């Protein structure tokens, strides 16, 4: 029974044993009524004797496409899964994409996954582009999904990236420039006044190999901020040169750091795939063994006033 002035979203979360994100989705879809009237906000205050009606949507299980690829698993327990996404694999289905995705592979393997993001994005907390490879965390339940999503918001969870540039960087650079849709090409992003704030730290490792840390999470952020430095990632024909022979964007999410729901700090390193590894023969492995140690030295660059 609700107490007087209790919020409807808090009450339903408690009664249904669901997180408030799930309840908010029901409310937004007009599926929650108080005294026969649909409500639009979870903050509606209840009075003793109010009657709440909920219509649960029918889940139509869409046919999954057969995934004829495999995904390396870096870490797994009852709450989450961390994988090393290969290049060429799309994370979740989209109307314009007809092939099997990571979500199809997860369903095919029988994983129990969170449902907060909807059927098309079961378990997907964050994503990386099709051509980008590397570490990706997947939530197995809604509680874990919400816990990790909050870390994304407060930046306590993140990734360090490795990339091959067309030309080496001479020194570490912090780029802080707003990003928005390119007004001249809707398929691209660009540095645009009035866009969303974005900050990236780039650190040269050896020769053309460079590492990056994102302080924000904008679409194509690394690739857009590199344009400000007069650089692009090898294989990137969108922001770089069209005549490149390298078959994909040489960008790899090398290290993922987060706090597990049990309070444990995790730092997971994703091995490089052969197509990337073959292009950096002669690179000292010690230099890329733990990027967190490198960025501990340079982080202060992005905090200077």
């Amino acid at each position: 029974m609700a107490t007087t002035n209790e919020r409807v979203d808090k009450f339903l979360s408690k009664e249904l044993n669901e997180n408030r994100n799930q309840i908010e989705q029901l409310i937004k879809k007009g599926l929650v009524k108080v005294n026969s009237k649909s409500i639009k906000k979870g903050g509606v205050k209840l009075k003793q004797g109010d009657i709440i009606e909920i219509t649960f949507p029918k889940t139509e299980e869409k046919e999954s496409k057969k995934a004829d690829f495999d995904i390396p698993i870096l870490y797994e327990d009852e709450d989450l899964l961390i994988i090393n996404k290969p290049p060429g694999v799309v994370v979740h289905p989209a109307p314009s994409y007809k092939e099997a995705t990571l979500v199809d592979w997860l369903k095919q393997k029988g994983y129990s996954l969170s449902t907060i993001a909807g059927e098309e994005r079961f378990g997907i907390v964050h994503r990386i582009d099709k051509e980008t490879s590397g570490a990706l965390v997947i939530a197995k339940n809604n509680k874990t999904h919400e816990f990790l999503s909050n870390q994304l918001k407060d930046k306590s969870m993140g990734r360090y990236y490795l990339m091959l540039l067309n030309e080496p960087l001479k020194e570490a650079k912090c780029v802080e420039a707003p990003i928005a849709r390119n007004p001249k090409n809707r398929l691209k992003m660009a540095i645009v006044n009035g866009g969303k704030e974005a900050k990236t730290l780039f650190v040269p490792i050896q020769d053309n190999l460079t590492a990056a840390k994102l302080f924000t999470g904008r679409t194509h952020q690394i690739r857009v901020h590199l344009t400000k430095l007069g650089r692009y990632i090898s294989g990137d024909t969108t922001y770089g040169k069209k005549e490149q022979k390298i078959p994909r964007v040489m960008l790899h999410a090398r290290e993922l750091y987060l706090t597990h729901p049990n309070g444990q700090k995790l730092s997971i390193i994703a091995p490089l795939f052969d197509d990337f590894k073959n292009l950096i023969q002669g690179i000292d492995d010690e230099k890329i063994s733990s990027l967190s140690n490198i960025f501990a030295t340079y982080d202060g660059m992005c905090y200077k006033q």
Side-chain angles (χ1 to χ4, degrees):
M1 181 178 293
T3 58
T4 300
N5 286 329
E6 185 173 8
R7 289 170 58 111
V8 67
D9 55 358
K10 285 187 176 181
F11 174 72
L12 290 177
S13 177
K14 179 177 61 180
E15 290 296 310
L16 299 176
N17 195 27
E18 286 285 359
N19 61 63
R20 281 166 65 184
N21 191 308
Q22 288 282 76
I23 302 301
E24 284 293 339
Q25 293 303 314
L26 291 173
I27 291 171
K28 285 179 181 178
K29 292 175 181 177
L31 300 176
V32 177
K33 293 181 179 180
V34 176
N35 299 327
S36 300
K37 291 184 179 180
S38 293
I39 61 171
K40 296 183 179 179
K41 293 184 178 180
V44 170
K45 299 293 179 64
L46 296 171
K47 299 187 296 293
Q48 202 154 9
D50 281 348
I51 298 173
I52 304 172
E53 300 172 67
I54 306 168
T55 303
F56 291 98
K58 292 181 179 179
T59 302
E60 295 181 11
E61 187 69 29
K62 294 184 180 179
E63 184 179 352
S64 295
K65 297 179 176 64
K66 182 174 174 54
D68 59 359
F69 50 79
D70 207 6
I71 307 285
I73 296 171
L74 304 175
Y75 175 92
E76 183 178 6
D77 61 26
E78 62 184 5
D79 292 313
L80 55 86
L81 178 73
I82 300 175
I83 57 110
N84 191 8
K85 188 189 86 68
V89 173
V90 169
V91 173
H92 57 73
S96 60
Y97 191 72
K98 306 302 181 185
E99 305 299 321
T101 66
L102 171 61
V103 168
D104 291 318
W105 180 84
L106 290 166
K107 290 180 179 179
Q108 190 171 296
K109 292 294 181 179
Y111 282 106
S112 174
L113 302 167
S114 70
T115 56
I116 284 179
E119 184 185 349
E120 299 293 336
R121 302 187 183 195
F122 278 145
I124 303 302
V125 179
H126 57 172
R127 60 180 294 279
I128 46 181
D129 292 336
K130 177 182 178 181
E131 294 184 26
T132 305
S133 56
L136 195 73
V137 63
I138 293 146
K140 290 187 173 182
N141 54 65
N142 290 343
K143 186 177 178 181
T144 298
H145 195 132
E146 189 169 33
F147 185 82
L148 295 174
S149 294
N150 287 335
Q151 289 183 61
L152 274 181
K153 291 175 186 175
D154 66 20
K155 308 299 186 293
S156 57
M157 177 170 84
R159 289 174 289 202
Y160 301 116
Y161 289 81
L162 280 176
M163 69 207 74
L164 278 173
L165 300 185
N166 61 311
E167 293 179 32
L169 280 182
K170 295 179 181 178
E171 59 185 358
K173 293 280 187 181
C174 182
V175 178
E176 191 166 4
I179 292 176
R181 188 70 58 185
N182 189 322
K184 296 180 180 179
N185 183 345
R186 303 301 294 172
L187 298 178
K188 297 170 64 174
M189 307 301 286
I191 295 172
V192 178
N193 289 334
K196 293 182 178 179
E197 63 172 304
K199 186 192 296 186
T200 313
L201 176 59
F202 296 96
V203 177
I205 302 297
Q206 184 177 326
D207 301 330
N208 289 32
L209 185 64
T210 301
K213 176 182 178 179
L214 301 179
F215 290 84
T216 50
R218 309 304 174 207
T219 302
H220 295 177
Q221 181 173 320
I222 288 175
R223 297 157 74 184
V224 172
H225 275 178
L226 280 170
T227 65
K228 190 173 176 67
L229 301 178
R231 304 288 191 277
Y232 59 84
I233 300 173
S234 296
D236 187 354
T237 57
T238 300
Y239 295 92
K241 291 188 176 179
K242 304 290 184 186
E243 64 272 16
Q244 294 183 70
K245 295 180 181 178
I246 296 174
R248 63 111 168 174
V249 178
M250 288 297 156
L251 179 64
H252 180 77
R254 171 67 169 177
E255 190 170 345
L256 170 70
Y257 56 91
L258 57 88
T259 301
H260 192 280
N262 64 15
Q264 180 186 4
K265 301 286 186 183
L266 293 180
S267 182
I268 306 294
I269 293 176
L272 296 168
F273 288 93
D274 287 344
D275 63 345
F276 197 121
K277 197 186 305 182
N278 292 339
L279 294 174
I280 59 169
Q281 291 179 0
I283 295 291
D284 184 354
D285 286 344
E286 189 66 28
K287 290 188 176 183
I288 58 172
S289 60
S290 178
L291 297 181
S292 57
N293 293 335
I294 292 173
F295 282 97
T297 302
Y298 288 97
D299 262 6
M301 289 183 63
C302 281
Y303 293 110
K304 291 179 180 177
Q305 299 298 319

